[in-house]
Amino acid sequence: AAAPIAALAPGVHTLLVIGSDARPKEDPRKARADSLHLLVANTVTGDAAIVGFPRDSYVQVPRRGRTKINAPLHSGGPALTVATVRQLTGIPIE
């Protein structure tokens, strides 16, 4: 796992954008993630970047062990998905 970043620069915000493979009438927060993108935006400079994570990547999931990065959404919702990417990258995610 990456070492945590103590703090980001003022005006820098990070968001995890999660797509879901939920079928009609299914709760998208309880399906598997079909896309994961980390968005970093600097509201001071106007710069932004986005990084995508392949959905079949195997990663360590907090309190769950090693599994595909798309599984935490199904087993623990958006909060576990964010915690997984935060642990993987060391980047604080809002």
Side-chain angles (χ1 to χ4, degrees):
I5 297 171
L8 298 175
V12 175
H13 300 277
T14 58
L15 302 170
L16 186 64
V17 181
I18 305 169
S20 170
D21 70 356
R23 303 297 185 257
K25 301 189 186 215
E26 288 182 338
D27 185 344
R29 296 165 299 175
K30 295 181 181 172
R32 287 178 308 273
D34 67 357
S35 63
L36 291 165
H37 294 87
L38 185 62
L39 172 65
V40 181
N42 186 323
T43 58
V44 175
T45 65
D47 295 329
I50 191 164
V51 176
F53 297 90
R55 66 176 275 157
D56 291 330
S57 300
Y58 279 87
V59 299
Q60 281 298 122
V61 176
R63 302 173 312 281
R64 298 269 191 337
R66 189 166 171 82
T67 189
K68 288 184 180 180
I69 198 169
N70 69 342
L73 185 63
H74 175 70
S75 64
L80 184 58
T81 305
V82 168
T84 299
V85 175
R86 187 181 293 135
Q87 176 177 286
L88 175 68
T89 64
I91 297 173
I93 300 170
E94 296 173 35

